[in-house]
Amino acid sequence: MNVFFLGTGAAEGFPALFSRTPINREALRRGGKNLRLRSGILVDETIRVDLCPDALAQVHKYPQRDLTAIQHLLFTHTHDDHFAARELQYLSCNFAPDREGPLSVWGSAQALTKLQSEVEHFFEAPPVRCRALEPFVEVPVGHLFVTPLVAHHKTDELCFNFLFRNKANDTRLLYASDTGWYAQETWNFLENLPLDAAVVECGRGISQSPYEGHLTLEQCIAFKAKLALKPGAPVYLTHICHTGLLLHEEMQELCTPHGILVAYDGLELSL
């Protein structure tokens, strides 16, 4: 299983779109791993998780990846930094005459309903096949199997994290972006489930924000401790926000004693 990090930033990006606080200025000065587009991953070249407002920028940034070739798109939830649904209008033959076959779009029933309301505004209907997901029910997605896990992120919407399973070599990846601390039903599902890797959001960093829809660094350390990780299984942090008050190098320094790695745009993980 190959995982490519298309973006590792939070909703406003890092440096942020409209903020010039000292940490944003310093991130811009340092560049490199401190420059983060909005979050999303590409799995085995054909499965994409979330479609952010930076989707076109990612096509341009990673010319070595054929991001036009995705066959499956999984939505975690409908916040704008993950659900740039109107970009799907450019799938139609008027804009992509060379594309073959429909794109399978997976998400909660609520997310797919919102997608359909967006399609009504398109120039022409895009070639998409909508597939509704149910919590904790594994489904085949291309050559992999995916289980939607219930995240604790929005109070008015069912939000998903995803467990990817490659049956061929029995590897499992947990992708936990925009999750917050899990409710007990999700922890119960993951109990004693061996994982080969986990990607966990750290939207709050070391800030004192009371928002429960993202994790602090301290919570990420506790989150890792509750997972049934195989020996040597890596844990990466993503969805890094400038309001978390840590640049890449600072966050990695704090994470290293706990065996946690900080993801960055363009990182590739092979399982």
Side-chain angles (χ1 to χ4, degrees):
M1 195 186 309
N2 180 276
V3 181
F4 186 78
F5 289 78
L6 298 165
T8 56
E12 66 274 42
F14 197 167
L17 184 60
F18 293 114
S19 176
R20 294 288 288 169
T21 59
I23 193 171
N24 281 294
R25 292 198 300 270
E26 180 63 13
L28 194 60
R29 186 190 71 81
R30 293 190 189 188
K33 296 176 182 178
N34 286 290
L35 304 182
R36 302 179 184 276
L37 298 176
R38 270 66 78 96
S39 290
I41 58 171
L42 182 69
V43 182
D44 286 350
E45 307 295 332
T46 59
I47 302 171
R48 179 174 183 140
V49 180
D50 287 335
L51 190 68
C52 71
D54 298 325
L56 178 59
Q58 291 166 348
V59 170
H60 296 174
K61 184 176 181 178
Y62 307 118
Q64 75 278 23
R65 301 278 169 174
D66 185 3
L67 300 185
T68 69
I70 62 168
Q71 300 298 313
H72 301 273
L73 173 61
L74 288 81
F75 281 122
T76 56
H77 64 298
T78 65
H79 274 155
D80 289 344
D81 55 320
H82 298 259
F83 192 79
R86 291 204 174 189
E87 296 298 307
L88 292 176
Q89 65 187 296
Y90 305 117
L91 278 169
S92 69
C93 61
N94 188 62
F95 301 105
D98 58 322
R99 183 171 176 86
E100 298 180 1
L103 175 68
S104 293
V105 179
W106 305 77
S108 68
Q110 187 174 359
L112 296 181
T113 297
K114 186 172 181 178
L115 173 60
Q116 290 299 327
S117 68
E118 295 287 355
V119 169
E120 295 175 3
H121 301 283
F122 289 3
F123 174 75
E124 59 184 344
V128 297
R129 181 185 296 117
C130 292
R131 304 287 185 86
L133 295 169
E134 296 293 335
F136 308 111
V137 177
E138 185 181 67
V139 294
V141 177
H143 62 292
L144 299 177
F145 291 85
V146 177
T147 304
L149 308 181
V150 178
H152 177 62
H153 185 60
K154 291 185 70 179
T155 58
D156 60 347
E157 180 183 345
L158 178 63
C159 300
F160 288 143
N161 291 171
F162 294 117
L163 180 68
F164 291 89
R165 181 171 69 92
N166 186 339
K167 188 176 180 181
N169 61 2
D170 194 32
T171 55
R172 290 182 176 86
L173 164 74
L174 172 64
Y175 183 69
S177 179
D178 288 44
T179 180
W181 191 259
Y182 286 147
Q184 194 57 47
E185 62 174 345
T186 301
W187 284 124
N188 289 344
F189 182 89
L190 287 170
E191 188 176 13
N192 300 321
L193 187 67
L195 300 174
D196 295 88
V199 179
V200 183
E201 61 96 351
C202 189
R204 289 163 63 196
I206 59 171
S207 74
Q208 300 300 311
S209 167
Y211 178 57
E212 295 183 355
H214 284 298
L215 297 173
T216 64
L217 179 55
E218 183 179 4
Q219 287 177 313
C220 288
I221 295 168
F223 193 103
K224 178 196 174 189
K226 287 183 68 69
L227 298 175
L229 296 163
K230 293 181 181 179
V235 174
Y236 284 92
L237 301 186
T238 191
H239 205 281
I240 312 301
C241 185
H242 68 105
T243 58
L245 305 177
L246 291 171
L247 293 164
H248 178 89
E249 297 81 3
E250 296 165 347
M251 179 173 281
Q252 186 57 75
E253 183 177 358
L254 292 174
C255 287
T256 296
H258 304 282
I260 295 174
L261 299 165
V262 182
Y264 52 88
D265 293 17
L267 173 68
E268 188 170 0
L269 171 64
S270 295
L271 302 176

